[in-house]
Amino acid sequence: MTDKSPAPLVAAEGWHVLHLFYKVEQGAWTLLSPEEQFTARTRLSDLVAEIRGTEGAQVMTFAMVTPKADLGFMLLCADLHAANAFEKRLTNALGADVLSPTYSFLSMTERSEYTTSEAEYAETLVKEENLAAGTPEHDAKLTAFRERMTKYMKDRLYPVLPPWPVMCFYPMNKRRGEPGQNWYALSFEERKKLMGGHAKVGRTWHGKILQLITGSTGLDDWEWGVTLLAHDPLNIKGIVYEMRFDEVSAQFAEFGEFFIGLQLPLEEIFGRLQL
């Protein structure tokens, strides 16, 4: 036996992401004295502050809308051991049996396999913009492309999520096994073309929706988790509705439950949950 902490378990690329949704068991909460309740609220507040002060970690706090859940956290950690330890502490921070997990999802930030490569972009410049390779104009466009892609990859793999007030989360799969609807039976070229059109639709919502796609193949029951942040809930409805007419969704997508949360400080959440 040893008290030595395990070495950090950090992936070669990307962060671990946990979506954690809970019901508040008011019966268990009312059994606590006012002093115990104050201590419990302080313990959870201090834990959230600790996570936010930890390098390679983030946590977002939500008052969940609808009785599917009351309280939600989105936890991002570079170290899987840290994610696991923080999750256990979040679950128990308000006291034994006060928070009852209703849904959880484990995934990882990841790059898209369908991202345009530098070679593909360079070829596009030659074919579609008539910019010969090696010319100053061609080189300038390539330099700008590299800069955009560097930021894009950083935002996908190591995102810093903003305090936008509305959060939507849902898991999804790509269909398999149905004749004509097996995503994995398509060639890479077909899938890349379809995803290019899908992404083009998504880009029309830039500035209204911040979307983070995280991969969960081998980690949870679905293949991806989708987190949408918005200022206006109407834009959540809008993007999900519009994207479903795109062939990638219409022909190949399966969706799980949808969860809506409001990103708020813990003190406000405590008041709403009567804690």
Side-chain angles (χ1 to χ4, degrees), residues 220-240:
D220 217 309
D221 298 333
W222 296 77
E223 295 173 324
W224 289 277
V226 180
T227 303
L228 305 175
L229 298 177
H231 295 286
D232 184 340
L234 189 63
N235 290 328
I236 298 286
K237 287 178 76 268
I239 189 173
V240 174

Side-chain angles (χ1 to χ4, degrees), residues 18-22 64 71-75 86-87 90-91 103-105:
L18 275 166
H19 288 78
L20 305 166
F21 302 132
Y22 300 90
M64 302 304 296
L71 175 64
F73 301 102
M74 182 176 176
L75 176 65
F86 284 141
E87 176 263 314
L90 286 168
T91 300
Y103 189 84
S104 66
F105 195 82

Side-chain angles (χ1 to χ4, degrees), residues 51 66 82 87 149 159 197 222:
I51 296 171
T66 83
E87 176 263 314
M149 293 307 296
W222 296 77

Side-chain angles (χ1 to χ4, degrees), residues 9 47 57 82-83 88 90 131 143 147 150 173 179 201 245 261 275:
L9 191 52
L47 175 55
K88 303 307 178 192
L90 286 168
L131 295 177
T143 298
E147 292 172 352
T150 297
N173 286 337
V201 175
F245 287 95
L275 295 177

Side-chain angles (χ1 to χ4, degrees), residues 14-141:
W15 283 348
H16 306 92
V17 182
L18 275 166
H19 288 78
L20 305 166
F21 302 132
Y22 300 90
K23 291 283 290 182
V24 173
E25 302 297 342
Q26 291 290 343
W29 181 252
T30 58
L31 293 176
L32 301 178
S33 69
E35 293 77 14
E36 290 172 325
Q37 291 177 352
F38 176 81
T39 298
R41 289 192 298 269
T42 302
R43 186 165 53 239
L44 180 54
S45 296
D46 288 348
L47 175 55
V48 167
E50 178 187 341
I51 296 171
R52 289 174 174 166
T54 300
E55 184 177 357
Q58 296 178 56
V59 65
M60 304 165 74
T61 56
F62 305 100
M64 302 304 296
V65 181
T66 83
K68 288 181 181 179
D70 297 317
L71 175 64
F73 301 102
M74 182 176 176
L75 176 65
L76 299 90
C77 287
D79 178 10
L80 186 56
H81 283 301
N84 178 242
F86 284 141
E87 176 263 314
K88 303 307 178 192
R89 294 171 63 190
L90 286 168
T91 300
N92 295 307
L94 290 180
D97 302 321
V98 174
L99 292 183
S100 177
T102 60
Y103 189 84
S104 66
F105 195 82
L106 172 63
S107 56
M108 293 185 69
T109 58
E110 63 178 14
R111 65 176 70 215
S112 171
E113 63 181 306
Y114 307 111
T115 303
T116 300
S117 69
E118 184 173 322
E120 289 170 332
Y121 182 72
E123 186 177 350
T124 298
L125 292 177
V126 174
K127 291 182 176 180
E128 298 182 7
E129 299 190 30
N130 297 315
L131 295 177
T135 62
E137 295 82 1
H138 188 277
D139 291 345
K141 291 264 190 176

